[in-house]
Amino acid sequence: MKPLSQFFILSMAVVFVGCNQQSKTSETNKPEVEVTQKSITFGDFKKIKGVDNIQDVPFQLFTKLDSVQFFVTPSKDAAHMKVAYHKLDNYYGFEEFDDFYSIHYSINNNISNSIEAFVLKSEFTAAFDLTLKGVNLYEIRSSTFKKANDFNNKSFNTYGSIVEVSEQEFKTASKNRINEVLVKNPHIKLKGNNWVYADNAKETVIIQHENLVTEDGVLSNEYIGQSPYLNLEVFKENSVETPDVYYSFYNVKPSANFQLFTGGYPQILPKENRISYIVSNNDTGSDFTVSQYLEQSHTQEDLLYVNFTNFKVSDGAKAFWADNETFYTEVYPTTSAPSIGKKQKSSFIKIKLKADLFN
């Protein structure tokens, strides 16, 4: 019986091993199974009401691809289709998922024919994540040099150079700024609805603070500070009727009359008798202006105006001159925008004017 038992065990072992070999051979030779996706059209996506007010859009999306993928659900295994990108297309983002954004998309820009789709984050950049990478900083729409308008030249290299710099360089350079810092004049006070200059018990009304009706609507003025070099008081003018903001310079002693104006927060260079500002343009990009201060008449003469097209100014009050030709400011791409819980990504640029440009 013992030899028979051994034979039985050996036979069983041989059968067991043989089965494993057949299994492996079968798996190796088994052809790969391809999953064929169902062909879909725009009709497979959820119909929605189109976007008729851009203010209702949480964030916009941008792509540099020639075509993008639209998914019916936020899953890489979901049915999807390729959609050609056209420059006039708008991708309105509404929700953010792990790998996807949900968008509202108007087919052929027809608001009444809109769908909800899901797009890959890897194919898009949200407005709040835009940076200056790949942006042509030199591009301008127009310029004016010493009263001569130029609408043909589209590059800043005529006047100097412009580059993106690190935040660290921006902060380091700001410690050595040469434009003066505006300081509060203790004699300027808000009394009722008026700003007044109080000196030796005498009060001079400067301008009505609120509800001053002008040709641009109701005007409100905010006191910013005094320029020690110019010996002028600076006020910020706001009107509810227009997005434009102006900074007015006022000489309190001779008469109650504003003497100078700038379209943005002023940077004043005492040694050069210059006043500059940089501000976002309500139409395109941002405006950079440098003017000469004429002390005798308390007026200014424009030296340079440039309308940059590809960036907006974050805060003109933070801009400064590191030397007579080198100007720094914090900016962000023209199409950049914040979203709920999401801040824009700031960038920093350095503008270097050509030496002796104004001589």
Side-chain angles (χ1 to χ4, degrees):
M1 296 295 292
K2 190 172 183 180
L4 182 60
S5 174
Q6 290 177 341
F7 177 78
F8 179 77
I9 293 174
L10 181 59
S11 298
M12 291 293 290
V14 171
V15 172
F16 183 75
V17 172
C19 288
N20 275 339
Q21 288 176 338
Q22 288 179 348
S23 176
K24 288 182 179 178
T25 302
S26 176
E27 289 295 327
T28 302
N29 296 331
K30 186 178 180 180
E32 292 184 8
V33 177
E34 294 186 3
V35 178
T36 303
Q37 183 197 298
K38 171 192 170 186
S39 178
I40 64 171
T41 66
F42 284 126
D44 292 287
F45 291 85
K46 179 183 177 182
K47 299 292 184 182
I48 57 168
K49 179 185 177 183
V51 173
D52 56 6
N53 186 353
I54 188 65
Q55 301 299 323
D56 296 332
V57 177
F59 55 90
Q60 282 193 266
L61 296 173
F62 301 90
T63 185
K64 295 182 178 180
L65 301 177
D66 293 330
S67 63
V68 294
Q69 300 178 85
F70 280 14
F71 291 74
V72 293
T73 61
S75 169
K76 292 182 180 180
D77 296 326
H80 56 278
M81 62 183 286
K82 275 195 173 183
V83 180
Y85 166 65
H86 302 288
K87 289 185 177 181
L88 296 179
D89 284 345
N90 292 306
Y91 301 104
Y92 297 125
F94 278 80
E95 288 187 71
E96 184 176 359
F97 301 86
D98 289 339
D99 299 312
F100 289 85
Y101 293 114
S102 73
I103 66 168
H104 289 185
Y105 178 78
S106 295
I107 302 169
N108 296 325
N109 288 308
N110 182 357
I111 192 174
S112 61
N113 190 15
S114 299
I115 62 170
E116 177 187 47
F118 298 88
V119 296
L120 291 167
K121 285 184 175 180
S122 59
E123 295 186 344
F124 288 86
T125 301
F128 49 78
D129 280 333
L130 289 173
T131 66
L132 292 181
K133 183 178 180 180
V135 171
N136 180 9
L137 298 176
Y138 278 84
E139 184 179 290
I140 64 176
R141 182 169 61 169
S142 65
S143 61
T144 302
F145 182 67
K146 294 183 176 180
K147 298 183 180 180
N149 295 325
D150 189 343
F151 298 99
N152 297 317
N153 171 38
K154 302 299 180 180
S155 176
F156 182 70
N157 59 15
T158 301
Y159 308 110
S161 63
I162 176 171
V163 295
E164 182 179 6
V165 299
S166 66
E167 183 176 7
Q168 184 58 50
E169 178 178 336
F170 179 86
K171 289 181 177 179
T172 300
S174 69
K175 296 176 182 178
N176 299 311
R177 69 178 63 199
I178 64 170
N179 52 284
E180 67 177 6
V181 177
L182 301 180
V183 294
K184 298 287 186 180
N185 184 343
H187 295 290
I188 304 293
K189 297 179 180 179
L190 182 62
K191 188 172 183 180
N193 288 331
N194 296 318
W195 288 105
V196 299
Y197 177 82
D199 186 28
N200 296 325
K202 180 182 178 182
E203 293 184 347
T204 303
V205 176
I206 297 176
I207 193 169
Q208 188 171 331
H209 175 56
E210 295 178 352
N211 301 326
L212 177 66
V213 180
T214 71
E215 61 181 9
D216 291 325
V218 179
L219 192 67
S220 175
N221 285 277
E222 173 188 355
Y223 179 56
I224 300 301
Q226 182 190 65
S227 164
Y229 167 69
L230 299 177
N231 194 28
L232 297 174
E233 310 300 332
V234 183
F235 290 81
K236 180 180 179 181
E237 297 184 7
N238 294 280
S239 172
V240 296
E241 301 295 330
T242 174
D244 294 327
V245 172
Y246 296 97
Y247 288 80
S248 302
F249 295 72
Y250 174 69
N251 187 344
V252 68
K253 293 186 178 180
S255 62
N257 182 35
F258 286 109
Q259 303 293 322
L260 305 171
F261 295 91
T262 60
Y265 192 93
Q267 295 87 35
I268 300 167
L269 296 174
K271 292 183 179 180
E272 299 297 319
N273 285 344
R274 289 184 198 151
I275 303 173
S276 72
Y277 68 86
I278 190 165
V279 66
S280 292
N281 185 301
N282 294 319
D283 185 16
T284 300
S286 55
D287 295 332
F288 176 55
T289 300
V290 182
S291 61
Q292 189 76 38
Y293 171 60
L294 305 178
E295 188 174 0
Q296 293 294 328
S297 59
H298 289 307
T299 58
Q300 77 236 51
E301 185 175 82
D302 291 339
L303 296 175
L304 175 66
Y305 163 78
V306 177
N307 178 203
F308 291 102
T309 58
N310 287 329
F311 58 83
K312 296 281 189 179
V313 177
S314 176
D315 184 356
K318 294 180 180 179
F320 62 90
W321 290 91
D323 56 49
N324 292 336
E325 289 85 33
T326 309
F327 184 81
Y328 287 86
T329 187
E330 181 179 348
V331 300
Y332 50 85
T334 303
T335 51
S336 173
S339 182
I340 300 175
K342 302 279 188 177
K343 291 183 178 180
Q344 293 164 282
K345 289 188 176 180
S346 292
S347 299
F348 304 87
I349 61 172
K350 176 173 66 176
I351 296 174
K352 185 82 172 179
L353 299 179
K354 290 182 177 180
D356 300 325
L357 178 65
F358 301 127
N359 294 340

